C-alpha cells in the first residue's frame, strides 16, 4: 500500500537526487516505466512513481553532465 501515499517518500527522493552517484542513473531506468495497475490499486500510483523516478534519473544525469563539464583535467597526467 506504500504506493497509496507517495507524498510520504518525497523527502527520500530529494535526498536520493542529492546523494546518489550520478553515474549510476542508467541503473534506475527500469523504475521509470509505468507499470500496469491491478484493479485494486490506488488509481495513478504507478504513474506517480514512474514520474518520480523519471525526475530522479533526469536529475542524476544533469548532475553527471555538470560534473563532467566542471571537472578540470589534471595537468600532471
Amino acid at each position: 500500500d506504500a504506493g497509496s501515499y507517495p507524498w510520504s517518500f518525497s523527502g527520500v527522493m530529494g535526498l536520493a537526487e542529492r546523494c546518489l552517484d550520478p553515474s549510476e542513473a542508467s541503473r534506475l531506468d527500469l523504475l521509470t516505466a509505468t507499470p500496469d495497475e491491478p484493479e485494486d490499486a490506488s488509481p495513478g500510483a504507478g504513474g506517480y512513481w514512474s514520474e518520480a523516478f523519471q525526475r530522479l534519473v533526469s536529475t542524476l544525469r544533469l548532475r553527471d553532465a555538470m560534473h563532467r563539464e566542471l571537472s578540470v583535467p589534471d595537468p600532471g597526467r
Side-chain angles (χ1 to χ4, degrees):
D1 288 354
S4 301
Y5 305 100
W7 58 87
S8 66
F9 295 99
S10 62
V12 173
M13 293 301 278
L15 186 63
E17 289 176 336
R18 293 186 301 277
C19 297
L20 287 178
D21 184 346
S23 66
E24 298 293 331
S26 62
R27 295 180 68 187
L28 300 173
D29 278 334
L30 179 65
L31 300 173
T32 64
T34 304
D36 292 333
E37 294 183 3
E39 289 182 27
D40 61 344
S42 297
Y48 173 86
W49 286 112
S50 173
E51 290 177 20
F53 282 110
Q54 288 171 18
R55 285 190 303 271
L56 173 60
V57 168
S58 294
T59 299
L60 292 176
R61 288 195 171 126
L62 175 62
R63 286 182 53 220
D64 188 49
M66 290 171 61
H67 179 53
R68 283 184 278 115
E69 289 183 20
L70 295 173
S71 295
V72 178
D74 184 358
R77 288 188 180 185

